[in-house]
Coordinates of all heavy atoms in Angstrom, one line a residue:
M1 N 186.5 -75.8 98.4 CA 186.5 -74.4 98.4 C 185.5 -73.8 99.4 O 184.4 -74.3 99.5 CB 186.0 -73.9 97.0 CG 186.3 -72.5 96.7 SD 186.3 -72.3 94.9 CE 185.8 -70.7 94.8
P2 N 186.0 -72.9 100.3 CA 185.1 -72.4 101.4 C 184.0 -71.6 100.8 O 184.1 -70.9 99.8 CB 186.0 -71.5 102.2 CG 187.3 -71.3 101.5 CD 187.3 -72.3 100.4
K3 N 182.8 -71.7 101.5 CA 181.6 -71.0 101.1 C 181.8 -69.5 101.4 O 182.3 -69.2 102.5 CB 180.5 -71.6 101.8 CG 179.1 -71.0 101.5 CD 178.0 -71.7 102.2 CE 176.7 -71.1 101.9 NZ 175.6 -71.7 102.6
P4 N 181.6 -68.6 100.5 CA 181.7 -67.2 100.8 C 180.8 -66.7 101.9 O 179.6 -67.2 101.9 CB 181.4 -66.5 99.5 CG 180.8 -67.5 98.6 CD 181.1 -68.8 99.1
Y5 N 181.3 -65.9 102.7 CA 180.5 -65.4 103.9 C 180.1 -64.0 103.6 O 180.9 -63.1 103.4 CB 181.3 -65.5 105.2 CG 180.5 -65.0 106.4 CD1 179.6 -65.9 107.0 CD2 180.6 -63.7 106.9 CE1 178.9 -65.5 108.1 CE2 179.9 -63.3 108.0 CZ 179.0 -64.2 108.6 OH 178.3 -63.8 109.7
F6 N 178.8 -63.7 103.5 CA 178.3 -62.4 103.3 C 177.7 -61.9 104.6 O 177.1 -62.6 105.3 CB 177.2 -62.4 102.2 CG 177.8 -62.8 100.9 CD1 177.5 -64.1 100.4 CD2 178.5 -61.9 100.1 CE1 178.0 -64.5 99.2 CE2 179.0 -62.3 98.9 CZ 178.8 -63.6 98.4
G7 N 177.9 -60.6 104.8 CA 177.3 -60.0 106.0 C 178.4 -59.6 107.0 O 179.6 -59.7 106.7
K8 N 178.0 -59.3 108.2 CA 179.0 -58.8 109.2 C 179.9 -60.0 109.7 O 179.4 -61.0 110.0 CB 178.2 -58.2 110.4 CG 179.1 -57.5 111.4 CD 178.2 -56.8 112.4 CE 179.1 -56.1 113.4 NZ 178.4 -55.4 114.4
Q9 N 181.1 -59.7 109.7 CA 182.1 -60.7 110.2 C 182.2 -60.6 111.7 O 182.2 -59.5 112.2 CB 183.5 -60.4 109.5 CG 183.5 -60.5 108.0 CD 183.3 -62.0 107.6 OE1 183.9 -62.9 108.2 NE2 182.5 -62.1 106.5
P10 N 182.3 -61.7 112.4 CA 182.5 -61.6 113.8 C 183.8 -60.9 114.2 O 184.8 -61.1 113.5 CB 182.5 -63.1 114.3 CG 182.8 -63.9 113.1 CD 182.4 -63.1 111.9
L11 N 183.8 -60.2 115.2 CA 185.0 -59.5 115.6 C 185.8 -60.3 116.6 O 185.3 -61.1 117.3 CB 184.6 -58.2 116.4 CG 183.9 -57.1 115.6 CD1 183.4 -56.0 116.5 CD2 184.8 -56.5 114.5
P12 N 187.1 -60.2 116.5 CA 187.9 -61.0 117.4 C 187.8 -60.4 118.8 O 187.5 -59.2 119.0 CB 189.4 -60.7 116.9 CG 189.3 -59.5 116.1 CD 187.9 -59.4 115.6
E13 N 188.0 -61.2 119.8 CA 187.8 -60.8 121.2 C 189.0 -59.9 121.5 O 190.2 -60.2 121.2 CB 187.8 -62.0 122.2 CG 187.6 -61.5 123.6 CD 187.5 -62.7 124.5 OE1 187.4 -63.9 124.1 OE2 187.7 -62.5 125.7
Y14 N 188.7 -58.7 122.2 CA 189.8 -57.8 122.5 C 189.9 -57.7 124.1 O 188.9 -57.6 124.7 CB 189.5 -56.4 122.0 CG 190.3 -55.3 122.6 CD1 191.7 -55.2 122.3 CD2 189.8 -54.3 123.4 CE1 192.5 -54.2 122.9 CE2 190.6 -53.3 124.0 CZ 191.9 -53.3 123.7 OH 192.7 -52.3 124.2
K15 N 191.1 -57.8 124.5 CA 191.3 -57.7 126.0 C 192.3 -56.5 126.1 O 193.5 -56.7 125.7 CB 191.9 -59.0 126.6 CG 190.9 -60.1 126.5 CD 191.4 -61.4 127.2 CE 190.4 -62.5 127.1 NZ 190.9 -63.7 127.6
P16 N 191.9 -55.4 126.7 CA 192.8 -54.3 126.9 C 194.0 -54.6 127.7 O 193.8 -55.4 128.7 CB 191.9 -53.2 127.6 CG 190.5 -53.6 127.4 CD 190.5 -55.1 127.2
S17 N 195.1 -54.1 127.4 CA 196.3 -54.3 128.2 C 196.1 -53.6 129.6 O 195.3 -52.8 129.7 CB 197.5 -53.7 127.5 OG 197.4 -52.3 127.4
E18 N 197.0 -53.9 130.5 CA 196.9 -53.3 131.8 C 197.2 -51.8 131.6 O 196.5 -51.0 132.3 CB 198.0 -53.9 132.7 CG 197.9 -53.4 134.1 CD 198.9 -54.1 135.1 OE1 199.3 -55.2 134.8 OE2 199.2 -53.4 136.1
T19 N 198.1 -51.4 130.7 CA 198.4 -50.0 130.5 C 197.1 -49.3 130.0 O 196.8 -48.2 130.4 CB 199.5 -49.9 129.5 OG1 200.7 -50.5 130.0 CG2 199.8 -48.4 129.2
A20 N 196.4 -49.9 129.1 CA 195.2 -49.3 128.5 C 194.1 -49.2 129.6 O 193.4 -48.2 129.7 CB 194.7 -50.1 127.3
R21 N 193.9 -50.3 130.4 CA 192.9 -50.2 131.5 C 193.3 -49.1 132.5 O 192.4 -48.4 132.9 CB 192.9 -51.6 132.2 CG 192.2 -52.7 131.3 CD 191.9 -53.9 132.2 NE 193.0 -54.4 132.9 CZ 193.9 -55.4 132.5 NH1 193.8 -55.9 131.3 NH2 194.9 -55.8 133.3
D22 N 194.6 -49.0 132.8 CA 195.0 -48.0 133.8 C 194.8 -46.6 133.2 O 194.3 -45.7 134.0 CB 196.5 -48.2 134.2 CG 196.7 -49.4 135.0 OD1 195.7 -50.0 135.5 OD2 197.9 -49.8 135.2
A23 N 195.1 -46.4 132.0 CA 194.9 -45.1 131.3 C 193.4 -44.7 131.3 O 193.0 -43.6 131.5 CB 195.5 -45.1 129.9
I24 N 192.5 -45.7 130.9 CA 191.1 -45.4 130.9 C 190.6 -45.1 132.3 O 189.8 -44.2 132.4 CB 190.4 -46.6 130.2 CG1 190.7 -46.7 128.8 CG2 188.8 -46.5 130.4 CD1 190.3 -48.0 128.1
K25 N 191.0 -45.8 133.3 CA 190.6 -45.6 134.7 C 191.0 -44.2 135.1 O 190.3 -43.4 135.7 CB 191.2 -46.6 135.6 CG 191.0 -46.3 137.1 CD 189.8 -47.0 137.6 CE 189.7 -46.9 139.1 NZ 189.4 -45.6 139.7
A26 N 192.3 -43.8 134.8 CA 192.8 -42.4 135.1 C 191.9 -41.4 134.5 O 191.6 -40.3 135.1 CB 194.2 -42.3 134.8
W27 N 191.6 -41.6 133.2 CA 190.7 -40.6 132.5 C 189.4 -40.5 133.1 O 188.8 -39.4 133.3 CB 190.6 -41.0 131.0 CG 189.7 -40.2 130.2 CD1 189.7 -38.9 129.8 CD2 188.4 -40.7 129.8 NE1 188.6 -38.5 129.2 CE2 187.8 -39.6 129.1 CE3 187.7 -41.9 129.8 CZ2 186.5 -39.7 128.5 CZ3 186.5 -42.0 129.2 CH2 185.9 -40.9 128.6
E28 N 188.7 -41.7 133.4 CA 187.4 -41.7 134.1 C 187.5 -40.9 135.4 O 186.5 -40.2 135.7 CB 186.9 -43.1 134.3 CG 186.5 -43.8 133.0 CD 186.3 -45.3 133.1 OE1 186.7 -45.9 134.1 OE2 185.6 -45.8 132.2
D29 N 188.5 -41.2 136.2 CA 188.7 -40.5 137.5 C 188.8 -39.0 137.3 O 188.3 -38.2 138.0 CB 189.9 -41.0 138.2 CG 189.7 -42.4 138.7 OD1 188.5 -42.9 138.7 OD2 190.7 -43.1 139.1
A30 N 189.6 -38.6 136.2 CA 189.7 -37.1 135.9 C 188.4 -36.5 135.5 O 188.1 -35.4 135.9 CB 190.8 -36.9 134.8
V31 N 187.6 -37.2 134.8 CA 186.3 -36.7 134.4 C 185.4 -36.5 135.6 O 184.7 -35.4 135.8 CB 185.6 -37.6 133.4 CG1 184.1 -37.2 133.2 CG2 186.3 -37.6 132.0
K32 N 185.4 -37.5 136.5 CA 184.6 -37.3 137.8 C 185.1 -36.1 138.6 O 184.3 -35.4 139.1 CB 184.7 -38.6 138.6 CG 183.9 -39.8 138.0 CD 184.1 -41.0 138.8 CE 183.5 -42.2 138.1 NZ 183.8 -43.4 138.8
L33 N 186.4 -36.0 138.7 CA 187.0 -34.9 139.4 C 186.6 -33.5 138.8 O 186.3 -32.6 139.5 CB 188.5 -35.0 139.5 CG 189.2 -33.9 140.3 CD1 188.7 -33.8 141.8 CD2 190.7 -34.1 140.3
E34 N 186.6 -33.5 137.5 CA 186.3 -32.2 136.8 C 184.8 -31.9 137.1 O 184.5 -30.7 137.3 CB 186.5 -32.4 135.2 CG 186.3 -31.1 134.4 CD 184.8 -30.8 134.1 OE1 184.0 -31.7 134.1 OE2 184.5 -29.6 133.9
E35 N 184.0 -32.8 137.0 CA 182.5 -32.6 137.3 C 182.4 -32.0 138.7 O 181.7 -31.1 139.0 CB 181.7 -33.8 137.1 CG 181.5 -34.2 135.7 CD 180.8 -35.6 135.5 OE1 180.3 -36.1 136.5 OE2 180.8 -36.1 134.4
K36 N 183.1 -32.7 139.7 CA 183.0 -32.3 141.1 C 183.5 -30.9 141.3 O 182.9 -30.0 141.9 CB 183.8 -33.3 141.9 CG 183.8 -32.9 143.4 CD 184.7 -33.9 144.2 CE 184.8 -33.6 145.6 NZ 185.6 -32.5 145.9
T37 N 184.7 -30.6 140.7 CA 185.3 -29.3 140.9 C 184.5 -28.2 140.2 O 184.5 -27.0 140.6 CB 186.8 -29.3 140.6 OG1 186.9 -29.7 139.2 CG2 187.6 -30.2 141.5
R38 N 183.9 -28.5 139.0 CA 183.1 -27.5 138.3 C 181.9 -27.1 139.1 O 181.6 -25.9 139.2 CB 182.7 -28.1 136.9 CG 181.8 -27.1 136.1 CD 181.6 -27.6 134.7 NE 181.4 -29.0 134.6 CZ 180.2 -29.6 134.7 NH1 179.1 -28.9 134.9 NH2 180.1 -30.9 134.5
H39 N 181.3 -28.1 139.7 CA 180.1 -27.8 140.6 C 180.5 -27.0 141.8 O 179.8 -26.0 142.2 CB 179.4 -29.1 141.0 CG 178.6 -29.7 139.9 ND1 177.5 -29.1 139.4 CD2 178.8 -30.8 139.2 CE1 177.0 -29.8 138.4 NE2 177.8 -30.9 138.2
E40 N 181.7 -27.3 142.4 CA 182.2 -26.5 143.5 C 182.5 -25.0 143.1 O 182.2 -24.1 143.8 CB 183.5 -27.1 144.1 CG 183.2 -28.4 144.8 CD 184.5 -29.2 145.2 OE1 185.6 -28.8 144.8 OE2 184.4 -30.2 145.9
A41 N 183.0 -24.9 141.9 CA 183.3 -23.5 141.4 C 182.0 -22.7 141.2 O 181.9 -21.6 141.5 CB 184.2 -23.6 140.1
R42 N 181.1 -23.4 140.6 CA 179.8 -22.8 140.3 C 179.1 -22.3 141.6 O 178.6 -21.2 141.7 CB 178.9 -23.7 139.5 CG 179.3 -23.9 138.1 CD 178.6 -25.1 137.4 NE 177.2 -24.9 137.2 CZ 176.6 -24.5 136.1 NH1 177.3 -24.2 135.0 NH2 175.3 -24.4 136.1
K43 N 179.1 -23.2 142.6 CA 178.5 -22.9 143.9 C 179.3 -21.7 144.6 O 178.7 -20.8 145.2 CB 178.5 -24.1 144.8 CG 177.9 -23.8 146.2 CD 177.9 -25.0 147.1 CE 177.2 -24.7 148.4 NZ 177.4 -23.4 149.0
A44 N 180.6 -21.7 144.5 CA 181.4 -20.6 145.1 C 181.0 -19.3 144.5 O 180.9 -18.3 145.2 CB 182.9 -20.9 144.9
L45 N 180.9 -19.3 143.2 CA 180.5 -18.0 142.5 C 179.0 -17.6 142.9 O 178.8 -16.4 143.2 CB 180.5 -18.1 141.0 CG 182.0 -18.2 140.4 CD1 181.9 -18.5 138.9 CD2 182.7 -16.9 140.7
A46 N 178.2 -18.6 143.1 CA 176.8 -18.3 143.5 C 176.9 -17.7 144.9 O 176.1 -16.8 145.3 CB 175.9 -19.5 143.5
D47 N 177.7 -18.3 145.8 CA 177.9 -17.8 147.2 C 178.4 -16.3 147.2 O 177.9 -15.5 148.0 CB 178.8 -18.7 148.0 CG 178.2 -20.0 148.3 OD1 176.9 -20.2 148.1 OD2 178.9 -20.9 148.7
D48 N 179.3 -16.0 146.3 CA 179.8 -14.6 146.1 C 178.7 -13.7 145.7 O 178.6 -12.6 146.3 CB 180.9 -14.5 145.1 CG 182.2 -15.1 145.6 OD1 182.4 -15.5 146.8 OD2 183.2 -15.2 144.8
L49 N 177.8 -14.1 144.8 CA 176.7 -13.3 144.4 C 175.7 -13.2 145.5 O 175.1 -12.1 145.7 CB 176.1 -13.9 143.1 CG 176.9 -13.7 141.9 CD1 176.5 -14.8 140.8 CD2 176.8 -12.3 141.3
K50 N 175.5 -14.2 146.3 CA 174.5 -14.1 147.4 C 175.1 -13.2 148.5 O 174.3 -12.4 149.1 CB 174.3 -15.5 148.1 CG 173.4 -16.4 147.3 CD 173.3 -17.8 148.0 CE 172.5 -18.8 147.2 NZ 172.5 -20.0 147.9
A51 N 176.4 -13.1 148.7 CA 177.0 -12.3 149.7 C 176.9 -10.8 149.4 O 176.9 -10.0 150.3 CB 178.4 -12.7 149.9
D52 N 176.8 -10.5 148.1 CA 176.7 -9.1 147.7 C 175.6 -8.9 146.7 O 175.8 -9.1 145.5 CB 178.1 -8.6 147.1 CG 178.1 -7.1 146.8 OD1 177.1 -6.4 146.9 OD2 179.2 -6.6 146.4
S53 N 174.4 -8.5 147.2 CA 173.2 -8.4 146.4 C 173.4 -7.3 145.3 O 172.6 -7.2 144.4 CB 172.0 -8.2 147.2 OG 172.1 -7.0 147.9
D54 N 174.3 -6.4 145.5 CA 174.5 -5.3 144.5 C 175.6 -5.7 143.4 O 175.8 -4.9 142.5 CB 175.0 -4.0 145.2 CG 173.9 -3.4 146.1 OD1 172.7 -3.6 145.7 OD2 174.2 -2.9 147.1
L55 N 176.2 -6.8 143.6 CA 177.2 -7.3 142.6 C 176.5 -7.8 141.3 O 175.8 -8.8 141.4 CB 178.1 -8.4 143.2 CG 179.2 -8.9 142.4 CD1 180.2 -7.8 142.0 CD2 179.8 -10.1 143.1
P56 N 176.8 -7.1 140.2 CA 176.1 -7.5 139.0 C 176.8 -8.8 138.4 O 178.0 -9.0 138.5 CB 176.3 -6.4 138.0 CG 177.0 -5.3 138.8 CD 177.5 -5.8 140.0
Y57 N 175.9 -9.6 137.7 CA 176.5 -10.8 137.1 C 177.5 -10.4 136.0 O 178.5 -11.1 135.9 CB 175.3 -11.5 136.3 CG 174.4 -12.3 137.3 CD1 173.1 -11.8 137.6 CD2 174.8 -13.5 137.8 CE1 172.3 -12.5 138.4 CE2 173.9 -14.2 138.6 CZ 172.7 -13.7 138.9 OH 171.8 -14.4 139.8
A58 N 177.3 -9.3 135.4 CA 178.3 -8.8 134.4 C 179.7 -8.6 135.0 O 180.7 -8.9 134.3 CB 177.8 -7.6 133.7
A59 N 179.7 -8.1 136.2 CA 181.0 -7.8 136.8 C 181.7 -9.1 137.1 O 182.9 -9.2 136.9 CB 180.8 -7.0 138.1
V60 N 181.0 -10.1 137.5 CA 181.6 -11.4 137.8 C 182.1 -12.0 136.5 O 183.2 -12.5 136.4 CB 180.6 -12.3 138.6 CG1 181.2 -13.7 138.8 CG2 180.1 -11.7 139.9
A61 N 181.2 -12.0 135.5 CA 181.6 -12.6 134.2 C 182.8 -11.9 133.6 O 183.6 -12.5 132.8 CB 180.4 -12.5 133.2
A62 N 183.0 -10.6 133.9 CA 184.1 -9.9 133.3 C 185.4 -10.2 133.9 O 186.5 -10.0 133.3 CB 183.8 -8.4 133.4
H63 N 185.4 -10.9 135.0 CA 186.7 -11.2 135.7 C 187.4 -12.3 134.8 O 186.8 -13.2 134.4 CB 186.5 -11.7 137.1 CG 187.8 -11.8 137.9 ND1 188.6 -12.8 137.7 CD2 188.3 -10.9 138.8 CE1 189.7 -12.6 138.5 NE2 189.5 -11.5 139.2
P64 N 188.7 -12.1 134.6 CA 189.5 -13.0 133.7 C 189.5 -14.5 134.2 O 189.7 -15.4 133.4 CB 190.9 -12.4 133.6 CG 191.0 -11.4 134.7 CD 189.6 -11.0 135.1
R65 N 189.4 -14.7 135.5 CA 189.4 -16.1 136.1 C 188.0 -16.8 136.0 O 188.0 -18.0 136.2 CB 189.9 -16.0 137.5 CG 191.3 -15.6 137.7 CD 192.3 -16.6 137.2 NE 192.0 -17.9 137.8 CZ 192.8 -18.9 137.7 NH1 194.0 -18.8 137.2 NH2 192.5 -20.1 138.3
V66 N 187.0 -16.1 135.7 CA 185.7 -16.6 135.6 C 185.4 -17.2 134.2 O 185.4 -16.4 133.3 CB 184.6 -15.6 136.1 CG1 183.2 -16.2 135.9 CG2 184.8 -15.2 137.5
P67 N 185.2 -18.5 134.1 CA 185.1 -19.1 132.7 C 183.7 -19.0 132.1 O 183.5 -19.6 131.1 CB 185.5 -20.5 133.0 CG 185.1 -20.8 134.4 CD 185.3 -19.5 135.1
W68 N 182.7 -18.4 132.8 CA 181.4 -18.4 132.3 C 180.9 -17.1 131.9 O 181.3 -16.1 132.5 CB 180.4 -19.1 133.4 CG 180.7 -20.5 133.6 CD1 180.6 -21.5 132.7 CD2 181.3 -21.1 134.8 NE1 181.0 -22.7 133.3 CE2 181.5 -22.5 134.6 CE3 181.8 -20.6 136.0 CZ2 182.0 -23.3 135.5 CZ3 182.3 -21.4 136.9 CH2 182.4 -22.8 136.7
T69 N 179.9 -17.0 131.0 CA 179.3 -15.8 130.5 C 178.3 -15.3 131.6 O 177.9 -16.0 132.5 CB 178.6 -16.0 129.2 OG1 177.5 -16.9 129.4 CG2 179.6 -16.6 128.1
E70 N 177.9 -14.1 131.4 CA 176.9 -13.5 132.2 C 175.6 -14.4 132.2 O 175.0 -14.6 133.2 CB 176.6 -12.1 131.8 CG 175.5 -11.4 132.6 CD 175.3 -9.9 132.2 OE1 176.0 -9.4 131.3 OE2 174.3 -9.4 132.7
A71 N 175.2 -14.8 131.0 CA 174.0 -15.7 130.8 C 174.2 -17.0 131.6 O 173.2 -17.4 132.3 CB 173.8 -15.9 129.4
T72 N 175.3 -17.6 131.6 CA 175.5 -18.8 132.3 C 175.5 -18.5 133.8 O 175.0 -19.3 134.6 CB 176.9 -19.5 131.9 OG1 176.8 -19.8 130.5 CG2 177.1 -20.8 132.7
L73 N 176.1 -17.4 134.2 CA 176.1 -17.1 135.6 C 174.6 -16.8 136.1 O 174.3 -17.2 137.3 CB 176.9 -15.8 135.9 CG 178.4 -16.1 135.8 CD1 179.2 -14.7 135.9 CD2 178.9 -17.0 136.9
R74 N 173.8 -16.3 135.3 CA 172.4 -16.2 135.7 C 171.7 -17.5 135.9 O 171.0 -17.7 136.8 CB 171.6 -15.4 134.6 CG 171.9 -13.9 134.6 CD 171.1 -13.2 133.5 NE 171.6 -11.8 133.4 CZ 171.4 -10.8 134.2 NH1 170.7 -11.0 135.3 NH2 171.9 -9.6 134.0
T75 N 172.1 -18.5 135.0 CA 171.6 -19.8 135.2 C 172.1 -20.4 136.5 O 171.3 -21.1 137.2 CB 172.0 -20.7 134.0 OG1 171.4 -20.1 132.8 CG2 171.5 -22.1 134.1
I76 N 173.4 -20.2 136.7 CA 174.0 -20.7 138.0 C 173.2 -20.1 139.2 O 172.9 -20.7 140.2 CB 175.5 -20.4 138.0 CG1 176.2 -21.3 137.0 CG2 176.1 -20.6 139.4 CD1 177.6 -20.9 136.7
G77 N 173.0 -18.8 139.1 CA 172.3 -18.1 140.1 C 170.9 -18.7 140.4 O 170.5 -18.8 141.5
Q78 N 170.2 -19.0 139.3 CA 168.9 -19.7 139.5 C 169.0 -21.0 140.2 O 168.2 -21.4 141.0 CB 168.2 -19.8 138.1 CG 167.7 -18.5 137.6 CD 167.2 -18.7 136.2 OE1 167.4 -19.7 135.5 NE2 166.5 -17.7 135.7
E79 N 170.0 -21.8 139.8 CA 170.3 -23.1 140.3 C 170.5 -23.1 141.9 O 170.1 -24.0 142.6 CB 171.4 -23.8 139.7 CG 171.2 -24.2 138.2 CD 172.4 -24.8 137.5 OE1 173.5 -24.9 138.2 OE2 172.4 -25.0 136.3
Y80 N 171.2 -22.0 142.3 CA 171.6 -21.9 143.7 C 170.9 -20.9 144.5 O 171.3 -20.5 145.6 CB 173.1 -21.6 143.8 CG 174.0 -22.8 143.3 CD1 174.4 -22.9 142.0 CD2 174.3 -23.8 144.2 CE1 175.2 -24.0 141.6 CE2 175.0 -24.9 143.8 CZ 175.5 -25.0 142.5 OH 176.2 -26.1 142.2
G81 N 169.8 -20.4 143.9 CA 168.9 -19.5 144.7 C 169.4 -18.1 144.9 O 169.1 -17.5 146.0
V82 N 170.2 -17.6 144.0 CA 170.7 -16.2 144.1 C 169.5 -15.3 143.8 O 168.8 -15.5 142.8 CB 171.9 -16.0 143.1 CG1 172.3 -14.5 143.1 CG2 173.0 -16.9 143.5
Q83 N 169.4 -14.2 144.6 CA 168.3 -13.3 144.4 C 168.6 -12.5 143.1 O 169.7 -12.2 142.8 CB 168.3 -12.3 145.5 CG 167.8 -12.9 146.8 CD 166.4 -13.4 146.8 OE1 165.5 -12.7 146.2 NE2 166.1 -14.6 147.3
P84 N 167.5 -12.2 142.3 CA 167.7 -11.5 141.1 C 168.3 -10.1 141.3 O 168.1 -9.5 142.4 CB 166.2 -11.3 140.5 CG 165.5 -12.4 141.2 CD 166.1 -12.6 142.5
R85 N 169.0 -9.6 140.4 CA 169.7 -8.3 140.5 C 168.7 -7.3 139.9 O 167.9 -7.5 139.1 CB 171.0 -8.3 139.7 CG 172.0 -9.4 140.0 CD 172.5 -9.2 141.3 NE 172.4 -10.4 142.2 CZ 173.2 -10.7 143.1 NH1 174.2 -9.9 143.4 NH2 173.0 -11.7 143.9
Q86 N 168.9 -6.1 140.4 CA 168.2 -4.9 139.8 C 169.2 -4.2 138.9 O 170.1 -3.6 139.3 CB 167.8 -3.9 140.9 CG 166.7 -4.6 141.8 CD 166.3 -3.6 142.9 OE1 166.6 -2.4 142.9 NE2 165.6 -4.1 143.9
P87 N 169.0 -4.5 137.6 CA 170.1 -4.1 136.6 C 170.4 -2.6 136.6 O 171.6 -2.3 136.3 CB 169.5 -4.5 135.2 CG 168.0 -4.8 135.5 CD 167.9 -5.0 136.9
N88 N 169.5 -1.7 136.9 CA 169.8 -0.3 136.8 C 170.1 0.4 138.1 O 170.2 1.6 138.2 CB 168.7 0.5 136.0 CG 168.6 0.0 134.6 OD1 169.6 -0.2 134.0 ND2 167.4 -0.1 134.1
K89 N 170.1 -0.5 139.1 CA 170.3 0.1 140.5 C 171.8 0.5 140.7 O 172.7 -0.3 140.4 CB 170.0 -1.0 141.5 CG 170.1 -0.5 143.0 CD 169.7 -1.6 143.9 CE 169.9 -1.3 145.3 NZ 169.6 -2.4 146.2
A90 N 172.0 1.7 141.1 CA 173.4 2.2 141.3 C 173.9 1.5 142.5 O 173.2 1.2 143.5 CB 173.4 3.7 141.4
K91 N 175.2 1.3 142.6 CA 175.9 0.8 143.7 C 175.7 1.7 144.9 O 175.8 3.0 144.8 CB 177.4 0.7 143.4 CG 178.2 0.1 144.6 CD 178.1 -1.4 144.6 CE 179.1 -1.9 145.7 NZ 178.8 -3.2 146.1
K92 N 175.3 1.1 146.1 CA 175.0 2.0 147.2 C 176.3 2.7 147.7 O 177.4 2.1 147.7 CB 174.6 1.1 148.4 CG 173.2 0.5 148.2 CD 172.9 -0.4 149.4 CE 171.6 -1.2 149.2 NZ 171.4 -2.2 150.2
Q93 N 176.1 4.0 148.0 CA 177.2 4.8 148.5 C 177.0 4.9 150.0 O 176.0 5.3 150.5 CB 177.2 6.2 147.8 CG 177.4 6.1 146.3 CD 178.8 5.6 145.9 OE1 179.7 5.9 146.5 NE2 178.8 4.8 144.8
D94 N 178.1 4.6 150.8 CA 178.0 4.8 152.2 C 178.3 6.2 152.7 O 179.1 6.9 152.1 CB 178.9 3.8 152.9 CG 178.3 2.3 152.8 OD1 177.1 2.2 152.7 OD2 179.2 1.4 152.7

């Protein structure tokens, strides 16, 4: 009669299929691309804010294509050296 084994049982060795390896690699590549393009989008918004010192963060955040809140845009602005806004300053009239 076999002796009962108490405790953690050893796991069988797993070798992912080629399909699984390819799928995991594709997912890892997509994550890297997302990180790269997210940083590019954040920098582009910071560049827009740098180009127009009168443009409020709230106006950028209100645009339907901008996925970040005003607070996040302020953080992005700090990361990329955007000059602080003057919140009550009226838009310059030419």
Side-chain angles (χ1 to χ4, degrees):
M1 194 161 152
K3 184 177 178 184
Y5 182 84
F6 297 102
K8 188 173 180 180
Q9 298 291 318
L11 295 172
E13 183 178 345
Y14 168 67
K15 293 182 181 178
S17 66
E18 184 175 340
T19 302
R21 287 192 310 269
D22 291 347
I24 292 167
K25 170 94 171 72
W27 171 71
E28 290 170 340
D29 291 346
V31 168
K32 287 177 188 172
L33 180 60
E34 186 277 334
E35 289 175 8
K36 178 182 178 286
T37 55
R38 179 172 38 89
H39 286 291
E40 289 171 354
R42 290 167 63 101
K43 182 181 182 317
L45 289 171
D47 289 345
D48 286 353
L49 286 160
K50 285 179 183 179
D52 184 353
S53 62
D54 292 328
L55 181 62
Y57 286 104
V60 177
H63 192 280
R65 293 292 305 196
V66 175
W68 294 292
T69 64
E70 181 179 351
T72 300
L73 288 171
R74 288 183 190 284
T75 300
I76 291 168
Q78 289 175 344
E79 290 173 9
Y80 289 95
V82 174
Q83 292 297 317
R85 307 289 129 152
Q86 295 180 11
N88 294 323
K89 182 179 175 185
K91 181 80 174 162
K92 291 179 188 172
Q93 300 293 324
D94 290 329

